[in-house]
């Protein structure tokens, strides 16, 4: 079955004329990013030369994808939109709520039992609004999208930060919050600041232990976690042609870790081969007829410095494996330097668990390359020293890998194959350990490694590598093992050097699957009823509109110190079960944020009594008194997942403003969508002026206009004040969202 074939053929038929019009208007060669973005301008949006990282532009994406954790809130909002059916093809994927514990079959049964109410709700709403539904066990959203929906030159949004995975097939795919998804599903234009374009030129060819994952691990070290903010990373150069489509997907997927809007590769023979292998030969053939429009123009490739805002070059032939971490995905070490870093920084050297999978690295190619390392080790009588966990990316990958004996290789050395789901990557891991707080090290082929993310233990040092490096270190049980030069002792006392990995980009016998897990929307549907006593689901009520006044003397809720990601603001793990219940999940608001005054988490001062309360408890106390409050934080606030709960919870608990040194892109947009004030210090040093018992006023809202700073007054308890300016990036539409109380309120008007 080829999804959306008529739509895709229509897009390709109109593409040459669109690109011609764009070039005639802009009078210059185009990057691939520009071709896709400008060809997806909303109907009423004028064709003009928009300023990168400055102008807000309206687009019309081709489709929407949602995973089950974020889909709950997105669909609850869709139910309030007044729509009868979605305006663009949309899907829901049940991959986040399955906890990894025992093994695939047992864990899937448990998930179906414990999440039945949520799955039934998602299925029912999907039926009612004409949304495709991928049931639990079908696979991880981004792998399923790559296999079924991604197409070169297309544009999609998804309620997950790793939606850019589809860039591996030449698609502009952007992670968003649920409110953005509702806009598109409701037929509204979707707004995005026109991104900068970072060009990454790839030369040479990967070999040996190096893999596509190492491209993005190296790049993360170059760009850092915010170096890609408000930018698309566009790969070009002869090196791109040697990387498989799934390998390109890996690279694009983890671009989220540098804050990039998305990442994209040009359409080529590898793209066509993957489309054909996944049953989309007609799409491959149609794309081939317009291939010149699915790549950057030759002039761009020849003189990239004239067309990209930043240019980076990576020689694949010289690239060695990287390991990144712990606690941040941009701490990048070439493998040759990693052992030294482990010893110098006193990281726990014993490697206790190796985990392969996640939306980043769970393709057939990933599985076969890692399995080849395991197979050789077994043949050489080497024992696997660490626990080994494998999460296939989709039922199609799992079925094919099982048929070909790939999964059996892992199981033969004690590896446990978990469900086709996110599992440990997002904290859905019931890890059994002798001490849940003991310092320890694990290595994954995942994308993020924030403290507590995988197993809830702040002392777990999580490192990120390719599947083949994960396999090698799992066999060794030692973080300092370098498979490129070190040897291991086998059962006979012989020194063995591991063979370089090898695998298959595509299954030699083709992909196969008995039940991929897709359920098309039924033609008949009934009204959606939510039990008012449910602890998992709760109907949404519109947020109150702005009262027309400046904010006067609002208490400080918390002044967060250091990294404050969406995991710190709204934790995942066990809290995922409340993603459809705003009141219940608000009990996790900012409980992971570090209080700058005490260096403790989930303890903030109640100025009235002098006692320290849990962050949500103090926020609820203020709300009950009809008082708002303000959150202050540092750089790249809201880094990480697209989860809009990190914006909706503060809104629900009556937070009035978030004042920070800088925002991560998705989170800033999510705050705006929910009617929050997202402000940044004009002078970052003003952060230091905020005191624990301050009352904060925000002036200038009665004349709130684009480009005009607001005024912050800190009213200190000793009677003194500090006054300074705060910057905002609101355009007039976003100001209207604020005044209406949310973007959804404004849309309903």
């Amino acid at each position: 079955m080829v999804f959306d074939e008529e739509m895709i053929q229509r897009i390709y038929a109109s593409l040459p004329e669109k690109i011609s019009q764009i070039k005639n208007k802009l009078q210059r060669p185009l990057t691939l990013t520009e071709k896709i973005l400008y060809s997806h301008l909303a109907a009423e949006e004028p064709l003009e030369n928009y300023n990168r990282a400055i102008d807000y532009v309206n687009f019309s994406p081709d489709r929407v994808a949602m995973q089950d954790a974020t889909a709950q809130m997105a669909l609850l909002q869709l139910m309030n939109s007044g729509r009868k059916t979605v305006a663009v093809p949309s899907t829901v994927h049940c991959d986040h709520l399955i906890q990894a514990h025992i093994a695939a079959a047992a864990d899937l049964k448990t998930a179906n039992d414990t999440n039945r109410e949520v799955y039934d709700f998602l299925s029912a709403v999907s039926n009612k609004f004409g949304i495709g539904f991928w049931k639990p066990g079908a696979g991880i959203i981004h792998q399923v999208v790559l296999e079924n929906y991604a197409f070169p030159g297309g544009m999609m949004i998804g309620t997950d930060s790793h939606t850019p995975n589809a860039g591996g097939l030449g698609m502009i795919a952007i992670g968003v919050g649920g409110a953005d998804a509702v806009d598109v599903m409701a037929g509204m234009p979707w707004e995005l600041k026109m991104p900068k374009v970072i060009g990454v030129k790839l030369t040479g060819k990967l070999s040996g232990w190096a893999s596509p994952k190492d491209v993005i691990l190296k790049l993360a070290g170059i760009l850092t976690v915010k170096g890609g903010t408000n930018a698309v990373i566009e790969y070009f150069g002869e090196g791109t042609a040697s990387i498989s489509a799934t390998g390109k997907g890996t690279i694009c997927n983890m671009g989220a870790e540098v804050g990039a809007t998305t990442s994209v590769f040009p359409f080529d023979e590898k793209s066509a081969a993957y489309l054909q292998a996944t049953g989309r030969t007609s799409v491959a053939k149609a794309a081939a007829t317009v291939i010149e429009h699915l790549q950057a123009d030759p002039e761009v490739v020849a003189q990239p410095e004239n067309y990209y805002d930043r240019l980076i070059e990576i020689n694949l032939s010289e690239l060695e494996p990287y390991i990144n971490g712990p606690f941040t995905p941009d701490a990048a070490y070439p493998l040759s330097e990693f052992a030294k870093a482990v010893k110098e920084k006193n990281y726990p050297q014993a490697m206790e668990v190796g985990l392969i999978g996640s939306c980043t690295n769970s393709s057939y190619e990933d599985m076969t390359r890692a399995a080849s390392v395991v197979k050789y080790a077994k043949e050489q009588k080497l024992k696997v020293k660490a626990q080994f966990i494998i999460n296939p990316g989709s039922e199609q990958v799992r079925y094919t890998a099982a048929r070909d004996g790939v999964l059996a290789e892992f199981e033969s050395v004690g590896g446990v194959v978990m469900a086709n789901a996110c599992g440990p990557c997002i904290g859905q891991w019931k890890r059994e350990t002798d001490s849940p707080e003991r310092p320890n090290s694990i290595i994954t082929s995942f994308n993020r490694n924030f403290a507590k993310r995988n197993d809830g233990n702040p002392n777990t040092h999580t490192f990120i590598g390719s599947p083949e490096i994960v396999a090698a270190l799992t066999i060794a049980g030692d973080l300092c093992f370098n498979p490129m030069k070190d040897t291991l002792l086998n059962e006979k006392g012989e020194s063995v050097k591991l063979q370089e990995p090898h695998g298959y980009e595509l299954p030699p016998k083709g992909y196969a699957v008995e039940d991929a897990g897709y359920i098309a929307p039924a033609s008949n549907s009934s009204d959606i009823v939510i039990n008012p006593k449910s602890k998992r689901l709760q109907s949404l009520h519109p947020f109150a509109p702005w009262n027309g006044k400046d904010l006067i003397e609002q208490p400080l809720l918390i002044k967060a110190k250091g990294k404050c990601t969406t995991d710190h603001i709204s934790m995942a793990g066990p809290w995922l079960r409340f993603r459809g219940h705003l009141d219940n999940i608000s009990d996790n608001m900012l409980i992971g944020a570090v209080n700058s005054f005490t260096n403790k988490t989930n303890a903030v001062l109640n100025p009235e009594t002098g006692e320290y309360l849990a962050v949500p408890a103090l926020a609820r106390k203020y709300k009950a008194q009809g008082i708002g409050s303000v959150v202050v934080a540092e750089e790249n606030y809201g880094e990480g997942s697209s989860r809009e709960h990190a914006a909706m919870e503060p809104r629900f608990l009556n937070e009035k403003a978030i004042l920070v040194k800088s925002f991560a892109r998705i989170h800033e947009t999510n705050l705006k969508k929910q009617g929050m004030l997202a402000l940044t210090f004009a002078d970052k040093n003003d952060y230091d002026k905020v005191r624990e018992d301050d009352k904060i006023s925000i002036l200038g809202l009665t004349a709130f206009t684009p480009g005009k700073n607001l005024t912050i007054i800190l009213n200190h308890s000793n009677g003194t004040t500090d006054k300074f300016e705060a910057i905002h990036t609101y355009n007039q539409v976003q100001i209207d969202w604020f005044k209406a109380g949310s973007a959804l309120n404004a849309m309903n008007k």
Side-chain angles (χ1 to χ4, degrees), residues 85-412:
T85 186
V86 290
V88 301
S90 304
T91 51
V92 168
H93 303 258
C94 296
D95 62 353
H96 273 55
L97 299 179
I98 303 170
Q99 186 181 56
H101 180 213
I102 300 171
D107 293 347
L108 189 56
K109 181 180 184 305
T110 299
N112 276 312
D113 291 341
T114 58
N115 301 316
R116 176 54 52 200
E117 179 184 16
V118 172
Y119 292 151
D120 286 348
F121 167 76
L122 294 175
S123 177
V125 179
S126 295
N127 268 338
K128 188 171 185 65
F129 287 90
I131 298 170
F133 183 76
W134 291 82
K135 64 185 181 182
I140 305 172
I141 177 173
H142 310 303
Q143 180 68 26
V144 173
V145 165
L146 198 70
E147 291 174 359
N148 295 277
Y149 299 111
F151 66 94
M155 183 180 186
M156 68 174 285
I157 62 170
T159 60
D160 189 281
S161 56
H162 293 103
T163 299
N165 191 82
L169 271 179
M171 194 174 203
I172 289 289
I174 302 174
V176 300
D180 280 355
V182 172
D183 280 354
V184 177
M185 289 189 291
M188 302 283 286
W190 175 65
E191 184 185 68
L192 176 73
K193 184 179 288 187
M194 182 61 77
K196 296 180 181 178
V197 187
I198 297 173
V200 178
K201 183 178 182 180
L202 300 182
T203 62
K205 187 176 182 179
L206 293 168
S207 63
W209 284 90
S211 75
K213 183 65 165 279
D214 300 307
V215 175
I216 188 60
L217 293 178
K218 177 182 177 68
L219 190 62
I222 296 171
L223 289 174
T224 77
V225 291
K226 63 176 186 175
T229 303
N230 288 326
V232 172
I233 300 174
E234 180 173 317
Y235 295 87
F236 69 100
E238 68 272 18
T240 63
S242 66
I243 301 175
S244 68
T246 53
K248 290 168 182 168
T250 292
I251 295 169
C252 292
N253 177 296
M254 202 174 158
E257 270 49 74
V258 299
T261 301
T262 191
S263 301
V264 67
F265 274 85
F267 174 69
D268 58 19
E269 291 183 3
K270 297 287 189 182
S271 315
Y274 186 74
L275 287 167
Q276 291 165 359
T278 51
R280 293 173 286 172
T281 299
S282 59
V283 175
K285 288 181 177 178
T289 65
V290 290
I291 188 170
E292 65 182 290
H293 305 307
L294 303 175
Q295 301 173 342
D297 282 337
E299 299 92 331
V300 174
V301 175
Q303 294 183 301
E305 65 278 2
N306 294 336
Y307 301 97
Y308 294 110
D309 296 284
R310 181 175 178 181
L311 188 60
I312 298 169
E313 185 169 337
I314 297 176
N315 186 336
L316 301 179
S317 299
E318 298 175 355
L319 184 66
E320 68 172 292
Y322 269 70
I323 295 178
N324 289 24
F327 306 131
T328 184
D330 60 350
Y333 298 95
L335 187 58
S336 58
E337 300 175 14
F338 182 63
K340 179 182 177 183
V342 170
K343 292 174 180 177
E344 287 181 348
K345 297 178 182 294
N346 200 31
Y347 297 142
Q349 185 173 334
M351 210 291 292
E352 299 188 17
V353 191
L355 302 103
I356 291 175
S358 87
C359 62
T360 316
N361 277 112
S362 54
S363 66
Y364 187 85
E365 180 181 21
D366 292 327
M367 296 291 167
T368 55
R369 281 178 63 86
S372 75
V373 177
V374 171
K375 184 175 186 293
Y376 182 77
K378 182 180 65 174
E379 291 170 349
Q380 299 302 311
K381 307 299 181 185
L382 288 170
K383 289 285 188 182
V384 175
K385 300 289 182 63
Q387 185 182 358
F388 209 177
I389 294 174
I390 298 92
N391 284 81
S394 68
E395 176 58 15
Q396 180 167 264
V397 167
R398 187 212 64 81
Y399 186 93
T400 306
R403 179 201 66 189
D404 296 346
V406 178
L407 299 185
E409 291 293 349
F410 294 120
E411 293 172 326
S412 71

Side-chain angles (χ1 to χ4, degrees), residues 477-498:
D478 183 354
L479 273 187
C480 292
F481 174 66
N482 181 347
M484 295 177 69
K485 66 180 184 66
D486 296 339
T487 60
L488 297 169
L489 287 178
N490 68 7
E491 294 174 343
K492 299 178 181 180
E494 300 167 334
S495 293
V496 175
K497 186 179 182 207
L498 294 177

Side-chain angles (χ1 to χ4, degrees), residues 388-631:
F388 209 177
I389 294 174
I390 298 92
N391 284 81
S394 68
E395 176 58 15
Q396 180 167 264
V397 167
R398 187 212 64 81
Y399 186 93
T400 306
R403 179 201 66 189
D404 296 346
V406 178
L407 299 185
E409 291 293 349
F410 294 120
E411 293 172 326
S412 71
V413 297
V416 178
V417 178
M418 297 294 184
N420 314 319
C422 302
C425 182
I426 58 163
Q428 283 286 56
W429 181 20
K430 190 175 182 180
R431 184 181 179 188
E432 295 183 355
T433 178
D434 56 347
S435 172
E437 298 296 319
R438 175 176 53 79
N440 69 99
S441 292
I442 67 175
I443 186 165
T444 80
S445 68
F446 304 164
N447 42 49
R448 293 199 176 122
N449 55 355
F450 305 139
K452 302 173 73 171
R453 179 170 175 90
N454 302 123
D455 62 359
N457 179 0
N459 296 306
T460 293
H461 296 61
T462 303
F463 298 89
I464 304 172
S466 66
E468 40 272 70
I469 291 296
V470 170
L473 268 63
T474 303
I475 293 164
D478 183 354
L479 273 187
C480 292
F481 174 66
N482 181 347
M484 295 177 69
K485 66 180 184 66
D486 296 339
T487 60
L488 297 169
L489 287 178
N490 68 7
E491 294 174 343
K492 299 178 181 180
E494 300 167 334
S495 293
V496 175
K497 186 179 182 207
L498 294 177
Q499 265 186 0
E500 292 178 350
H502 60 87
Y504 299 95
E505 293 181 6
L506 300 168
K509 299 178 184 177
Y511 286 106
V513 67
E514 289 184 342
D515 178 8
Y518 175 71
I519 301 174
S523 56
N524 59 327
S525 62
S526 55
D527 290 337
I528 311 301
V529 178
I530 297 175
N531 184 344
K533 296 182 179 180
S534 172
K535 297 184 183 300
R536 298 288 300 271
L537 297 166
Q538 180 186 48
S539 297
L540 282 180
H541 299 287
F543 292 127
W546 175 54
N547 65 6
K549 301 177 182 178
D550 286 338
L551 294 173
I552 304 298
E553 295 197 1
Q554 305 292 302
L556 174 73
L557 180 67
I558 184 172
K559 180 181 176 182
K561 175 183 177 182
K563 189 182 284 286
C564 196
T565 71
T566 49
D567 279 341
H568 296 84
I569 304 166
S570 175
M571 289 184 178
W575 290 94
L576 282 172
R577 67 187 186 277
F578 295 133
R579 284 284 179 87
H581 198 295
L582 185 54
D583 193 358
N584 283 348
I585 199 169
S586 293
D587 282 332
N588 81 356
M589 186 192 74
L590 286 160
I591 63 176
V594 177
N595 186 335
S596 68
F597 301 107
T598 63
N599 288 322
K600 295 181 179 179
T601 59
N602 204 24
V604 286
L605 178 70
N606 178 1
E608 292 181 359
T609 64
E611 65 178 327
Y612 282 84
L613 302 177
V615 183
L618 182 58
R620 288 185 185 275
K621 178 179 181 298
Y622 287 145
K623 181 179 179 180
Q625 296 173 348
I627 301 171
S629 51
V630 176
V631 173

